[in-house]
Each structure stands twice: as structure tokens, then as C-alpha cells.
Amino acid sequence: MTAHEGNPASQGWQGGTQEGWVEPRATAVLVLADGTVLEGFGLGATAQAPGEVCFNTAMTGYQEILTDPSYAGQIITFTFPHIGNVGVNEEDTETVNAAASSGVRGVVLHAEVTQPSNWRAAKHLDAWLKARNIVGICGVDTRALTALIRENGMPNAVIAHDPAGNFDIEALKKEAAALPDMAGLDLVPLVAATQRYDWDETPWQWPRGYGKREAAAHRVVAIDYGVKRNILRLLAKAGCEVEVVPSTASAKDILALNPDGVFLSNGPGDPAATGEYAVPVIKELLDLKIPTFGICLGHQMLALAIGGQTMKMKQGHHGANHPVQDKTTGKVEIVSMNHGFAVDPATLPANATETHVSLFDGSNCGIALNDRPAFSVQHHPEASPGPQDSHYLFTRFVELMEAEKAKKAA
């Protein structure tokens, strides 16, 4: 089924016939855990999928969002009404592990997806969603759904698409109500790499596209909890030889690669659940005073490793227009966010300094350790919504490695 089939704008009035008005039949539904049923028109995979519903306020970058491994187990509602209008291409995918299933379970849209109008477009969003087995629904009042999430928090739900419009609503309600809460779920194994690999691709530049790193001044081991491609590209651009290891790699495995620094990646799920096996490794690396930089889930992993705690957020932060203040400089950055858990700043030990804070709600967005060369941020500096407000963090990581090398040489 194409994105426009079943749309009332396409099939409503049969002018000049005896049929009159033909009521369009819903070909997709979103059934929330509280029993709320939202009807619409299907696109993407003909299937049903469970997940936690969140909303994203970004106006651009939907392909990157839909391939961000941090969204594993979630159904994304886009607040911007026109999604899919520039199509999709082969270059803007953020998932590294091609063997893994798409982390995103479904997508909720307001407007019908139009034919793409962009010189980089290689495929229609509908066909792309089908290929990635992502269930979609359009024709939904996404403003009302967003207001519901803001009021009640992110609900579990089941999204279903059937071109014939046959749904067992009562069964879908029971399935949605029985879904486990995101708290306590370790979703990293669904999206992270299972083998070690090298990375040398650098960011996209007009007109040549992506480049290749040449000389490298520092060796970085990136622990993959669901890493995004552009993070690895910016590490390579900063002159780092990047070795990516699985989330289950031991400290011994990481140290065997002789890193100048360790990067803790983004990823999905409850950080406390992932921390059960990740935190002991990070603690060992911190004790050896290896320069460490974390982003998103990696930020939460660092906080847990020093004795802090994380907490589930009511609606989370998902968007590309979030103001965050760097307290070390006083500057405000416009950043990209994607997280449903946050570090509780009240639980941070004395050796940690809060470096970044959200200007939306005052939540913690960054820390730095006073006694070890380690820091992290909750937002995604590589996503470039500012567009490059936060790229300095990669330079800060390089400077940290250089300072440690200078200490050892002295």
C-alpha cells in the first residue's frame, strides 16, 4: 500500500455518481496502553509492533532520527507535520550495525507523505520504511498526541498497519496494556555491534561527500552501546584512530588495544540495566586515568560508574531545538536531544562537576570529573542542529588526551 491509499483527500468524494460520500476506512491504528485508539492511514511495513511512544520536535533530519539506535523500542511521533518531503538517501543513515533490526518500532505522522522533492532523494519514505520493517501511520492529530504525552508521560502502545483495515482492537488493547515499562530494560544488545571494527570515515562535505581520515595522532577505543555514524566520523575528523568494540568488551580487551582515550557511546534503554555489565568496566578504566568522553547513554554510564543515579523522565527530551548552557563558558548551545532517562544531579559525588544544564527544565546535561580525565554530555553534539555549536566537545576530548600524554612524557 502506498502512503496515499485510503487518504480521505484521495478517496473521499465520488463526484457525479450515486455513491456520494465514501467514508474512508482506517488502514492503521495506534492503540495506547490506557485503551485510547487513534486511527489513520498506513504506510511502511504491513505489520504490528509494540513500543513506547515519544514525540520529536525536529523539523529536519527524520532519516537520521529513524535510524538512531537510541530509539530502540520506541514509536516516534513527529510534531512537525511534513515528514518525508525530501525522501531518503543512502548517506544519512546513522545505524552502523546493518545486521541489527531497526531499533525504531514505528512512526506517527500528521500529514500524508508527499512525493520527495530533493536532489539527494533516492527513495520514497514509504518504500524505505517497508524495507526497514518500520510500521507507519499518518492522518493522526499529532498535536493532541503530543499534549497527551506531555500531560501523562510516554505511554506504551501497539502500532498496526493492515491495508484491508481489519484490526482486533480489543486484542491490541490487551497487548498494549501488558507491555513492560522501559525502566529496567537493557536494549543495547538489539542494536550494538557484536564484533570489533575500525572506523576511518570523516564527515560529509560538499561536493565530495564523505572522506577518509589520513594521519592519526590519537588512538581511541569507542565502546558501542548503539553508536551513531556521525559520532565516529567526528572522532576521525579530530585525528583519532578509532577502534569500536562491543558493549560487552572487558577492560582487559580494551586495554589490549593501547588506547589514548575511551569513548562511551549513545544507546537505548534503561542505563541502570546496561550498567550492570558496563559500569564495572568503566570503573576500571577510570581508575587507570584513561581520558574518557561519553555521549547520551555514555554520559549516564559515566555518572553511574562514579556512584550517581539515573531516573526515568516523564516525557524525555527528543528534538533538535533544545537550549543547553555550558556552565564552564556561560555559552548557550542549540543541541539535539534523544533520551528518556536523565542523571540525577543530587546523587553526583563531590568529585563530579555539573558542566551543562538544560534551559528547558534545568535537568543535568553534562559532567566532568575533578580527579580523573573524564567528562560527558547528555546531548548529541554530532547531530549539528546549531549547526556546530557543540563540536568543540570533540576538541576538548583531544586536548584531554594530549594533556595526559604530556604528563606521562614529563
Side-chain angles (χ1 to χ4, degrees), residues 246-259:
S247 61
T248 54
S250 67
K252 181 180 179 181
D253 294 336
I254 294 169
L255 294 172
L257 297 173
N258 298 312

Side-chain angles (χ1 to χ4, degrees), residues 374-388:
F375 72 101
S376 59
V377 291
Q378 181 64 72
H379 52 281
H380 282 268
E382 84 292 340
S384 308
Q388 298 182 1

Side-chain angles (χ1 to χ4, degrees), residues 261-282:
V262 170
F263 174 75
L264 311 176
S265 88
N266 61 291
D270 185 345
T274 304
E276 291 184 8
Y277 57 86
V279 162
V281 174
I282 298 170

Side-chain angles (χ1 to χ4, degrees), residues 176-200:
L179 292 174
D181 189 77
M182 185 68 74
L185 295 184
D186 174 24
L187 301 180
V188 169
L190 298 178
V191 294
T194 57
Q195 297 180 334
R196 180 169 65 89
Y197 61 92
D198 303 330
W199 186 274
D200 62 359

Side-chain angles (χ1 to χ4, degrees), residues 41 80 89 134-136 155 219 222 224 249 289 316 329 335 394:
F41 306 97
F80 186 66
N89 57 61
I134 299 173
V135 184
R219 186 174 178 82
D224 182 5
K289 295 189 175 181
T329 63
V335 307
F394 292 90

Side-chain angles (χ1 to χ4, degrees), residues 195-255:
Q195 297 180 334
R196 180 169 65 89
Y197 61 92
D198 303 330
W199 186 274
D200 62 359
E201 187 176 80
T202 54
W204 195 93
Q205 287 186 345
W206 169 262
R208 63 180 177 83
Y210 294 115
K212 293 288 184 181
R213 174 192 50 76
E214 296 179 356
H218 310 286
R219 186 174 178 82
V220 170
V221 172
I223 303 178
D224 182 5
Y225 305 119
V227 70
K228 294 171 65 178
R229 287 175 177 266
N230 218 42
I231 290 176
L232 299 178
R233 293 185 187 114
L234 286 176
L235 287 171
K237 179 186 177 182
C240 299
E241 178 185 356
V242 182
E243 291 275 351
V244 185
V245 299
S247 61
T248 54
S250 67
K252 181 180 179 181
D253 294 336
I254 294 169
L255 294 172

